[in-house]
Amino acid sequence: MPPFRLCLMITSAEASSSASIQGPYSSVGWGKAMSEESFDTLRNLLRSVGPAQALDVLIEQFRKAKQYPDWFEARMMRSRFALGLPLIQAPGSSEIPAEARAAYEQAMVEAARETGDLFLADGNIPRAWPYLRATGDSARVAEAMERVEVGEDVDAVIGIALQEGVNPVRGVALILQKYGMCRALAAFGMYGGEKDRERCIDFLARSLHDELVERITGAIEREESAKPEATSIPALIAGRDWLFGEYSTYVDTSHLMSLLQYCLEVTDARTLELFHEFCEYGKRLSSNFQMAGQPPFENFYFDVDHYALALADVEVESHLDHFRRKVREAPLGNVNSQALVKLLVSRGSYQEALEVAMEHFPAASSSELACPTAIQLCQLADRFDLLMQLARKQGDELSYVAASLELDRKTKAGGAA
């Protein structure tokens, strides 16, 4: 990144933060206030020890006073002086001479990184972020977030963690600690990033599981005068029908349904086991808490359980049959067929997945689907002959050429063998 653009990236982000950056050269004094005496001292330093040493003194004073944005600007002025560049970087002087560009850019990166680290050392993540984002050091910020405790000023950290995608899991955890499960689920629902999505789902699942186990355990202990040793939900509720009265529920069912809707995104075996436990609990709830879901999970807890168990390699064919029946009974092109395709792809059953796609959504684009397209499935199933036909029907020249070349390559490889 060119040095001037890096500087703009830092200063513009700092200017918009809760504590705005001081103007680059509007206040060059140490301490919180400038006096006539301070300016006189600067002038004397410039005359007595020279500009380089005077700037070094000013840099050190800014650091001691924790005026880190000014410290950064003074560092950059010192670098410009050493490289023979204009000391005041006006908007029209964005181009650095080629012979000085590498050295100046390196100086800027080092100064930005050290400025960010100074803010981190003071526990000020929002002020550190513009500098470390500019240098590509988001991992430093993510690690610092692990030490953040919930307080009045934690919202800015949450925004950087979740909205900026620096440490989404920690962002969700901080929301959960400060605002509770409802806000944590809502915030994750609005999170549009891909980074750590499944880790966030796993964190939320573990947190909700802990809450549910704790409350069921408490109910059992009150009823039976002994604390059960089991920690899994199925073991806790087995043989205890009395737990599920007409109005008995141990966590907000809207929280449970909000979380379980992410089943389509889960691949981790432990998270899938937690989802299965939630479903075993949900199936036992009275009709007052049995809310209908959206396809492919209309019979919510039962359908989600089928899906989770299929992904978890438990009696896979029986659970696949459940969704095959849904596809046969539903209109063409609906989400049931997409859910089945995702399941089949997770199993490596590309040929069957391709057959479903060709029947239900042969021409759909990736933006219209929650599963691979028919064209992508042709590639996975090694069906380049079919891909050529499909591409021709859709007027997709690029896919046609790619399929033709792949088919030629496959034919030649077969002949050579």
Side-chain angles (χ1 to χ4, degrees):
M1 180 181 293
F4 186 70
R5 285 173 60 194
L6 179 65
C7 187
L8 284 179
M9 183 176 179
I10 295 168
T11 55
S12 63
E14 262 287 82
S16 64
S17 67
S18 57
S20 63
I21 188 172
Q22 305 235 351
Y25 313 110
S26 60
S27 59
V28 286
W30 43 84
K32 293 298 181 183
M34 282 295 293
S35 65
E36 290 299 321
E37 184 180 351
S38 299
F39 284 106
D40 291 339
T41 301
L42 279 175
R43 185 62 180 165
N44 291 333
L45 274 173
L46 289 168
R47 288 174 174 171
S48 61
V49 299
Q53 290 87 338
L55 281 170
D56 287 340
V57 171
L58 190 59
I59 289 167
E60 182 58 26
Q61 293 297 334
F62 280 144
R63 180 168 183 147
K64 287 180 179 177
K66 295 183 179 292
Q67 294 176 248
Y68 301 139
D70 286 334
W71 181 79
F72 171 79
E73 296 291 351
R75 284 277 303 272
M76 296 319 303
M77 184 183 284
R78 179 70 170 83
S79 296
R80 289 194 291 276
F81 178 80
L83 293 168
L85 300 173
L87 297 184
I88 297 177
Q89 193 174 23
S93 63
S94 59
E95 291 300 319
I96 306 296
E99 62 273 16
R101 189 173 299 136
Y104 187 63
E105 184 167 1
Q106 181 62 30
M108 181 170 288
V109 170
E110 290 176 0
R113 183 172 289 133
E114 290 175 28
T115 304
D117 285 344
L118 287 170
F119 275 122
L120 284 186
D122 285 352
N124 195 333
I125 289 175
R127 297 297 300 278
W129 173 234
Y131 296 94
L132 296 177
R133 176 177 59 184
T135 60
D137 289 306
S138 60
R140 275 178 156 88
V141 181
E143 193 277 330
M145 287 175 175
E146 298 295 335
R147 300 187 294 273
V148 170
E149 296 183 1
V150 172
E152 293 182 1
D153 59 347
V154 78
D155 287 352
V157 175
I158 290 171
I160 296 168
L162 193 59
Q163 295 166 13
E164 302 269 2
V166 175
N167 191 339
V169 179
R170 186 59 181 156
V172 170
L174 290 171
I175 296 171
L176 180 63
Q177 290 177 44
K178 184 171 183 179
Y179 298 109
M181 181 60 72
C182 188
R183 287 280 292 273
L185 286 164
F188 179 69
M190 292 185 288
Y191 172 56
E194 292 300 319
K195 180 182 177 183
D196 291 341
R197 280 191 66 83
E198 192 168 347
R199 289 185 59 220
C200 289
I201 295 169
D202 177 71
F203 172 80
L204 289 166
R206 290 173 186 271
S207 300
L208 190 57
H209 186 269
D210 289 346
E211 180 182 346
L212 184 52
V213 166
E214 181 182 359
R215 292 184 179 181
I216 293 175
T217 298
I220 294 171
E221 188 172 10
R222 288 190 296 273
E223 177 69 20
E224 300 177 357
S225 301
K227 185 176 181 179
E229 295 182 2
T231 57
S232 78
I233 295 169
L236 286 169
I237 65 178
R240 293 186 173 106
D241 292 343
W242 57 264
L243 283 167
F244 297 95
E246 186 178 1
Y247 299 104
S248 298
T249 182
Y250 301 92
V251 293
D252 191 320
T253 51
S254 67
H255 296 172
L256 201 55
M257 294 185 72
S258 294
L259 177 62
L260 289 176
Q261 70 177 328
Y262 297 113
C263 184
L264 293 165
E265 301 184 43
V266 177
T267 60
D268 179 74
R270 172 56 184 160
T271 311
L272 290 169
E273 174 60 28
L274 295 180
F275 273 41
H276 168 62
E277 292 194 21
F278 289 139
C279 290
E280 287 295 292
Y281 162 81
K283 293 173 191 177
R284 302 283 293 276
L285 293 172
S286 76
S287 58
N288 292 314
F289 304 106
Q290 295 290 342
M291 292 173 282
Q294 297 296 317
F297 305 136
E298 300 94 326
N299 191 356
F300 191 74
Y301 297 112
F302 289 88
D303 287 338
V304 170
D305 203 24
H306 279 294
Y307 208 91
L309 290 171
L311 288 172
D313 279 340
V314 178
E315 299 178 359
V316 177
E317 282 302 312
S318 66
H319 301 302
L320 281 173
D321 282 341
H322 177 78
F323 289 97
R324 288 177 180 129
R325 284 193 298 273
K326 277 179 169 285
V327 170
R328 288 195 298 270
E329 296 165 1
L332 296 182
N334 72 2
V335 294
N336 288 329
S337 57
Q338 296 178 46
L340 177 57
V341 165
K342 282 197 73 170
L343 268 182
L344 291 167
V345 169
S346 74
R347 303 291 307 157
S349 302
Y350 303 130
Q351 182 59 43
E352 185 182 352
L354 176 57
E355 291 169 5
V356 174
M358 290 298 294
E359 181 181 355
H360 292 272
F361 46 86
S365 66
S366 57
S367 62
E368 301 173 272
L369 299 173
C371 67
T373 64
I375 285 179
Q376 292 167 332
L377 289 165
C378 284
Q379 169 77 28
L380 290 171
D382 203 21
R383 287 295 307 275
F384 300 112
D385 55 333
L386 186 57
L387 178 52
M388 289 177 66
Q389 298 173 29
L390 194 59
R392 193 162 187 150
K393 286 181 181 178
Q394 296 180 15
D396 185 346
E397 294 92 344
L398 280 176
S399 293
Y400 181 85
V401 170
S404 180
L405 293 174
E406 289 285 7
L407 191 59
D408 287 346
R409 181 187 297 172
K410 182 180 176 182
T411 302
K412 289 175 182 177

